[in-house]
Amino acid sequence: MSKIVIRQYHDADSSGYNARTAMEEATRCLLCHDEPCSKACPAGTEPGRFIRSIRFRNYKGAAEIIREANVLGGCCARICPAGQLCEGECSRTGIDRPIDIRGLQRFAIEQEQLLGMDILQSAPQKAQRVACIGAGPASLACAAELAKLGYQVELFEKMPLAGGMMSYGITPARLPQAVIEHDLLQITKLGVKIHYNRSLPENINWDELRADFAAVFIGVGLWSCRPIDIEGCQLSGVYNAIDYLAKARTGCSDFAVGNDVVVIGGGDTAMDCAATAKMLGAANVTIVYRRTVAEAPADIEEVENIQSLGIPIITRFKPLKIEGATAVESFYAQGADGFGQLKLKADQVVFAIGQLPSYWRESTAKLNVDDDMAVSTDGLFAGGDIVNGGSTVVQAVADGKKAARSIVKYLEGRCV
């Protein structure tokens, strides 16, 4: 459980929907025959169906639809970029505003928890064992799909918590650890075993691992940040985004938020770093981005949240140098025009400029993944950020489910 105590981003949704307000929102649904919202969900959660269930007060049915399609339905209800997916395709948008699909999904999963529902069930156990490397969204989704069919699945996670970037790279204001733990419980109840603090060697011999498991899924994610190559990057107080968020989220004893924090980047991770610093007590937090806000990859909701927190976003400036004796004292940036220069007082500088694979860097760089998530090595499959270069949790879930289907075909073919 996170040691950070911070408020939710928006007062309006801090407690979510209750039965009455959920019904009111669900009633706004136009009950489209073609359900464009459902077609836009990578994980196949089918919002059109579960909204109908809520509309007719069948909360159990709504939770079943979500959970059976997406084992991480609780997490996705908090962090999924719905505006770019299901809500972006909602027909109601042409009238006033889209249905709050993400909020209704959160309501249904909360009902699942309140009612103590056990939705997912596993089939009689099969003899085949499958290993999933990493316990991030892709591996968790793959493991759940296989476990439901009776396969013995074991996950190997190098960190003390499962969830991957959900547990270490997203501020609890957006995704409370309790929500992650509830989703994880649905997976472990299926019989999935998670081995924590198990870091496999970078020069791993896949053939040796395959001797113990009938198939292996790689879902290790992107845990290394792009290298920082400016003057002063070695000073104390300079962080990459992953380390900064992980230390903040887990309450690391050697971490304290700075007074003047500068965050470099324009993605969701940069917004998370800035919001985390502000809510942990930093007096001054500033985001510096080399392009315009319109070009920033961050979800518009996250940008609006940053603005609501009073955090300025300085655009069209790129890092130039960091000054200080042994620790950060000031940050300099160069204007896109080549002439302007920015100087900010800083005791912490956080770089959120993109992530790379660090786990088995050489091995994963050579992975050639086909349309079935299979790689050239027999019985080896991969998915999630390590394959798509860094996307959403819901896309990782889709990858994991697709890989599970391919693994089943592979294992069934071997049994013939």
Side-chain angles (χ1 to χ4, degrees), residues 369-384:
V369 182
D370 64 19
D371 290 339
D372 293 323
M373 316 306 291
V375 301
S376 54
T377 302
D378 185 49
L380 192 62
F381 301 79

Side-chain angles (χ1 to χ4, degrees), residues 17-36:
Y17 286 110
N18 56 39
R20 177 176 178 177
T21 56
M23 272 289 297
E24 290 174 351
E25 184 63 17
T27 302
R28 294 180 57 245
C29 179
L30 299 176
L31 302 178
C32 304
H33 178 70
D34 57 346
E35 296 185 1

Side-chain angles (χ1 to χ4, degrees), residues 84 265-268 270-271 286-307 311-317 336:
Q84 301 172 25
D268 286 338
M271 304 301 148
T286 305
I287 294 175
V288 177
Y289 181 50
R290 62 194 176 112
R291 296 192 177 98
T292 65
V293 171
E295 296 172 288
D299 188 80
I300 187 62
E301 183 180 341
E302 301 311 313
V303 174
E304 291 173 349
N305 172 68
I306 286 298
Q307 293 171 335
I311 298 173
I313 303 176
I314 300 176
T315 59
R316 298 184 60 77
F317 276 89

Side-chain angles (χ1 to χ4, degrees), residues 206-290:
W206 295 112
D207 291 331
E208 290 181 3
L209 187 61
R210 285 275 288 101
D212 294 325
F213 295 92
V216 176
F217 175 79
I218 306 172
V220 294
L222 305 176
W223 286 87
S224 180
C225 285
R226 295 187 184 280
I228 305 165
D229 187 23
I230 64 170
E231 180 184 340
C233 63
Q234 78 288 348
L235 292 172
S236 173
V238 177
Y239 292 88
N240 66 58
I242 295 174
D243 287 345
Y244 192 82
L245 289 170
K247 287 177 179 292
R249 176 147 193 157
T250 58
C252 188
S253 60
D254 65 350
F255 174 81
V257 69
N259 190 63
D260 300 289
V261 181
V262 176
V263 178
I264 313 303
D268 286 338
T269 302
M271 304 301 148
D272 274 341
C273 289
T276 296
K278 187 70 173 181
M279 289 186 281
L280 285 178
N284 301 298
V285 181
T286 305
I287 294 175
V288 177
Y289 181 50
R290 62 194 176 112

Side-chain angles (χ1 to χ4, degrees), residues 128 210 213-215 378-379 408-416:
Q128 294 101 323
R210 285 275 288 101
F213 295 92
D378 185 49
V408 170
K409 290 180 183 178
Y410 169 77
L411 296 178
E412 288 180 346
R414 293 185 67 204
C415 294
V416 174

Side-chain angles (χ1 to χ4, degrees), residues 36-119:
C37 58
S38 294
K39 295 176 182 178
C41 178
T45 309
E46 297 187 283
R49 289 183 62 210
F50 76 71
I51 291 173
R52 281 185 178 87
S53 293
I54 293 174
R55 184 169 180 158
F56 294 105
R57 295 184 174 85
N58 182 8
Y59 306 143
K60 182 177 184 292
E64 288 174 346
I65 291 168
I66 296 165
R67 185 64 73 186
E68 288 171 358
N70 183 353
V71 74
L72 298 179
C75 293
C76 287
R78 302 289 187 128
I79 61 174
C80 190
Q84 301 172 25
L85 298 170
C86 56
E87 292 179 13
E89 296 299 319
C90 178
S91 299
R92 184 86 197 192
T93 305
I95 300 174
D96 45 19
R97 58 183 173 83
I99 304 299
D100 183 10
I101 297 173
R102 201 172 69 176
L104 291 176
Q105 179 168 321
R106 172 181 168 181
F107 168 77
I109 293 298
E110 287 174 345
Q111 293 303 302
E112 171 200 48
Q113 188 170 13
L114 288 171
L115 297 173
M117 297 169 59
D118 282 319
I119 295 171

